[in-house]
Each structure stands twice: as C-alpha cells, then as structure tokens.
Amino acid sequence: MFHICLLMFSPQNYPLYIRSVPSQNELKFHYTVHTSLDVVEEKVSAVGKSLADQRELYLGLLYPTEDYKVYGYVTNSKVKFVIVVDSSNTSLRDNEIRSMFRKLHNSFTDVMCNPFYNPGDPIQSKAFNGIVSGMMVQTG
Amino acid sequence: MADDSLFEFLHMEIVSHIFNEQQSRKGELDNKDRAACISLLEAMGFRVGQGLIERLTRDTPSFKDELDIMKFICKDFWTKVFRRQVDNLRTNHQGTYVLQDNKFSLLTQFSGGKQYLDQAPKYLAFSCGVVRGALSNLGLESVVTAEVSIMPSCKFQVVIQKL
C-alpha cells in the first residue's frame, strides 16, 4: 500500500487541508511538509529575480529525502499545495503529479467561489473531499 | 446578450435595497448610516473579488511585481468583469495607482450631466470592493476609492498598503 499525503496552506502558512492515505500516518508527514514550506518560499521568492520562463505555478520536486518525494505547487493567490509520496512509488510520473495539481487547483477554485466558504478557514467541502479521495484511490 | 443586463439590474436593486432597508430602520439617513450602507456594499464586493480572481488567475503564470498585477487588473480582469479595458493607468511608482474608465459599465444607464452625480458613489462601492478583494487575494492589501466628475467616466484610486 503506497503512502501519499496532500496538504494545503494558506498564504499565511496556516494549514487549510490535510489528507493522507493510509490515514494513520498524518503526523509523520507533518515534519516533512513543514520543512518543505521553506523550500516553497525560497522558490517563490526566486521567481522575481530570475529572468527565465520560471513563472509557472508548478514547482516540481522540492527535495527528495531517502523515504519520500515532495512536490509543490503554488497558486497566484499564494495558496500552497504539497504532495508527499513514497520514494518506492516509482510509477508516478511528473506529468501525473502535474495533472493531480491541476485537478486540485480546479476544485480549490470551486471551493473559493462558494459563498459559504470564508477564505482562510479549513476546507470542509464534501465535493473537495470527494475529488481528493478519488485521486488518492487512483494513485495509491 | 442578456447576461450583462442581468447583473446591472441586480446591482441596481442591491444598492436600492440596502439603502431602503436602512431607511426603514432608522428613518432619515444621516452620514453615518450612509457610510454604513456603502461599507456593506464594499464588503460584498470584496468577497466576490476574492472568488473571481481565483478563477481568473487559474491558468496565468505568476506575476513578476506590483505593476504586473495592476496591468493584469486593468486589462484581463477589467475585461472579464466590466467588459472593457481600463482607458488610463497612472502611478506615482510608490504604491498609488489611478485607473480611469471612460465608460464604466455600471454607470452607463445613468443620464449624463450633473443631475445624479451625488448618487454615483453608491453605485461604485461594490466595484471598489471587487477590486480590493481581487488585490487582496493576489497578496496586496489596498484601499480603493472611486470618484466621478463626468458621467459615465470614473476614476478608481488604489493605494497599496505597505505592511
């Protein structure tokens, strides 16, 4: 059973959404993800200085540890998505991760447009949960 | 297309509803009540702006700097929301921007001339809120005000708050 974990952070780095499969491992991922936030900030602030076409939203592999690979994505509203997968899960290719982030961004846009959602609150939308579960089942 | 007039009618009704509501509760409206109505409209616009910008920037690459963001607001954002581009953008390069729209879509239904000039701010509050909400979600806290000297042209002044 592969491990996979998804986290979302608000522009002020509060957690908006945390989900992992299998669900007992969340705490283990928290440390990895909090350190990866530093790498995200570094990449985001580097975008302004380099002239290359690095203004993409997908940040790619943030850093590999011996157990996990961490991928990042940041929206224009500075909401950060982080996906952590097992290093042993070699079947997940870069463009699959990219498409996962796109789907997440689309569902997040829907959550944002929900008038009952207050930006900055943890996300409790059933539709969003459904999309995430679907994605995790597909890859895990 | 009928879509545009749908929102215009709704907007007019929102403004009139909020003011009538306040009037029936307080009797004569003094300046404080009027200000409360205007801030209510602005707050509505703020939340709408936040959601709108999320949808509109989904596919655009990230912005280089403040000026880039303001240009996006003047071109793509204004086109999607008000169906035209801002005619003139001026800045003092220190955080103040003036956006001038010569045919603001929410004011075209008013008769030109001076008769309803004092009513215009009520109809601009929501749009100020939309702009402020959009900028806030892009990471820029700001104060947005609008003024009208000749209908239907109006100027939005955006002052970016440096924290």
Side-chain angles (χ1 to χ4, degrees), chain A residues 76-77 102 110 112 117, chain B residues 47 54-55 59-60 62 137:
Chain A
N76 270 315
S77 50
R102 277 228 67 73
D110 289 336
M112 200 49 169
Y117 172 70
Chain B
R47 182 65 186 92
E54 190 67 45
R55 221 174 256 291
D59 298 312
T60 58
S62 38
N137 252 24

Side-chain angles (χ1 to χ4, degrees), chain B residues 6-24:
Chain B
L6 282 176
F7 179 69
E8 280 168 30
F9 278 123
L10 182 63
H11 179 251
M12 288 187 224
E13 189 52 39
I14 292 175
V15 175
S16 120
H17 171 78
I18 289 190
F19 276 84
N20 286 344
E21 184 95 331
Q22 191 77 327
Q23 186 138 24
S24 62

Side-chain angles (χ1 to χ4, degrees), chain A residues 55 57 76-77 102 105-106 108-110 112-114 117 119, chain B residues 47 50-51 54-55 57-62 64 68 137-138:
Chain A
R55 300 192 298 154
L57 303 178
N76 270 315
S77 50
R102 277 228 67 73
H105 196 173
N106 289 347
F108 174 69
T109 309
D110 289 336
M112 200 49 169
C113 292
N114 179 355
Y117 172 70
Chain B
R47 182 65 186 92
Q50 284 183 310
E54 190 67 45
R55 221 174 256 291
T57 57
R58 217 181 53 194
D59 298 312
T60 58
S62 38
K64 278 195 303 246
D68 212 25
N137 252 24
L138 290 174

